[in-house]
Amino acid sequence: MARARRQTRFDPYAILEALERERVAYILIGGLARVLEGSDELTRGVDLTPSTRPENLRRLELALDSLDARPSDGRALSLDELDTTPLLALESEHGEINVVPVPDGTRGYDDLRRAVRREPIGRGLRVSVASPGDLVRMLSALGREQDALRIETMQRVVERDRGLSWER
């Protein structure tokens, strides 16, 4: 039987602090990553791509357990599902946590790691964030019409980083 979760305020710091405390190797992707890179969208969760090395997955499981993160149907957390699912969607008291082993348009953690940016976000945290170019690549691979403005915004960030003008 699924447990009812109390609706709480999204607190990405609590989630990211748990990951950092356990020394999890991960890369932020998705909405929060885009916000950190300059998008003005809203998000209610953290999307991440972890290294799938066994020791790292053990640390990830410890971090998720400390957050009481569970699948929405209330069953026990199992990272074994990462071998067979494109997305492990979890709920916690601090917001949604989506674990995406191989985001669309990428080959996973090692692919994204080559261009990762370490971003200071306050509270002494410096998190690994997918590059704006990789964020565009992932959104484009999804092929969703509703992502057109997000793609355009992130392409402008890529242009800014390359020193290109935003004027058309």
Side-chain angles (χ1 to χ4, degrees):
M1 181 165 158
R3 292 181 297 180
R5 285 249 182 219
R6 184 171 49 92
Q7 196 66 344
T8 60
R9 197 181 84 207
F10 175 45
D11 182 3
Y13 285 109
I15 297 168
L16 297 171
E17 286 168 345
L19 294 168
E20 294 295 321
R21 187 171 40 253
E22 295 297 338
R23 299 182 342 266
V24 177
Y26 67 94
I27 299 170
L28 271 183
I29 61 171
L32 183 58
R34 292 189 300 273
V35 167
L36 292 173
E37 293 298 343
S39 174
D40 65 351
E41 64 192 273
L42 298 176
T43 185
R44 300 243 347 117
V46 171
D47 303 314
L48 63 99
T49 296
S51 164
T52 55
R53 289 175 177 77
E55 178 58 23
N56 192 63
L57 291 178
R58 184 190 69 73
R59 291 191 301 262
L60 175 59
E61 192 161 22
L62 288 172
L64 294 171
D65 280 342
S66 76
L67 294 165
D68 194 28
R70 298 285 179 259
S72 58
D73 62 9
R75 62 191 158 81
L77 173 66
S78 172
L79 294 183
D80 294 338
E81 296 176 40
L82 291 179
D83 292 336
T84 59
T85 184
L87 169 81
L88 180 58
L90 305 170
E91 294 178 353
S92 80
E93 301 237 342
H94 304 289
E96 301 167 4
I97 304 168
N98 292 316
V99 181
V100 187
V102 183
D104 287 346
T106 78
R107 291 182 311 280
Y109 177 84
D110 289 331
D111 178 25
L112 294 171
R113 188 177 64 165
R114 68 181 168 60
V116 76
R117 295 157 68 128
R118 296 280 295 166
E119 298 289 347
I121 62 167
R123 294 192 187 175
L125 291 173
R126 286 182 61 90
V127 296
S128 296
V129 180
S131 71
D134 285 336
L135 293 169
V136 169
R137 182 168 50 130
M138 287 180 264
L139 276 175
S140 297
L142 292 172
R144 301 181 307 200
E145 191 174 310
Q146 71 261 30
D147 290 331
L149 183 58
R150 291 178 181 134
I151 291 169
E152 181 181 341
T153 299
M154 292 315 302
Q155 285 173 329
R156 288 178 182 248
V157 171
V158 170
E159 291 171 5
R160 178 199 68 201
D161 286 354
R162 291 183 182 157
L164 302 175
S165 171
W166 283 22
E167 302 297 318
R168 298 222 179 223

